[in-house]
Amino acid sequence: MEIDLLFKIAAIGILVAVLHQVLVRAGREDQAMMTTLAGVVIVLSIVIREISTLFNSVRVLFNL
Amino acid sequence: MDIVKIIGVGLIALIISVIVKQYKPEFSMYISIIAGAIIMFLIIDKISGIITLLTNLSKKTGMNAEYLSILLKITGIAILTEFAVSICKDSGETAIASKIDLGGKVIIISMSIPIISALLEIIMKIIP
């Protein structure tokens, strides 16, 4: 739960961007779309997990 | 010493989000959300210290514990709504931000009704 999360998401973002370009150049637009979607789904799962832990700890803290 | 960590996380997230914005604009929003979450985690144990101090003080002064719990709930709601509103504003969705803000305000007002009614009763007693 530290700074490496930021680097992980940045790496996924850049990787997805590069893969998208490569696949588009290779003429496979649909696979490029799939990789972009996969990247977005992975990053979303990470973000949602962090947000849920944050909201849970704030809820427990303020006994909301 | 914690402030250095908070500033460090903020600056690193800023740099990464600017870099990633060229390739994938939406990822910079993810990075700002995660940076906000990390910084909130850093300050959460400070907040719990403050809350225990407040509860001890309120026990000493014999204040009604229910009011303090309502105040803490309102603070928590304010922190969470501000967290969401700033992220929405950052990504340019001011309409959504204002709706979240409105929702937060309505919930806070609805939670503070007991305090308001108690205040009115006290005022009624004072005025003969």
Side-chain angles (χ1 to χ4, degrees), chain A:
Chain A
M1 188 45 236
E2 269 309 317
I3 200 77
D4 58 348
L5 220 53
L6 281 178
F7 298 133
K8 197 189 290 182
I9 289 182
I12 292 176
I14 292 176
L15 188 69
V16 160
V18 166
L19 272 179
H20 186 83
Q21 289 300 332
V22 164
L23 284 173
V24 164
R25 290 288 180 282
R28 290 189 178 71
E29 274 75 13
D30 48 0
Q31 280 162 3
M33 167 62 76
M34 297 309 287
T35 49
T36 312
L37 284 184
V40 167
V41 163
I42 292 169
V43 169
L44 257 185
S45 67
I46 295 174
V47 166
I48 285 171
R49 198 177 340 115
E50 292 311 319
I51 289 290
S52 71
T53 44
L54 171 72
F55 275 21
N56 273 333
S57 50
V58 168
R59 199 162 48 84
V60 162
L61 192 63
F62 289 100
N63 52 53
L64 278 172

Side-chain angles (χ1 to χ4, degrees), chain B residues 10-79:
Chain B
L11 287 182
I12 289 172
L14 169 72
I15 293 165
I16 290 177
S17 126
V18 163
I19 291 171
V20 169
K21 194 167 269 190
Q22 301 154 11
Y23 303 107
K24 278 278 179 205
E26 68 267 19
F27 276 84
S28 79
M29 188 215 9
Y30 296 138
I31 288 203
S32 71
I33 291 175
I34 287 287
I38 290 176
I39 290 176
M40 290 277 275
F41 274 125
L42 287 178
I43 59 173
I44 265 191
D45 43 12
K46 296 278 190 298
I47 292 178
S48 64
I50 292 169
I51 285 176
T52 42
L53 173 76
L54 279 179
T55 39
N56 297 346
L57 285 182
S58 81
K59 283 204 186 69
K60 279 206 195 81
T61 56
M63 192 183 80
N64 186 341
E66 181 220 346
Y67 294 154
L68 182 72
S69 79
I70 288 179
L71 284 181
L72 284 180
K73 280 194 174 93
I74 288 175
T75 328
I77 291 174
I79 287 176

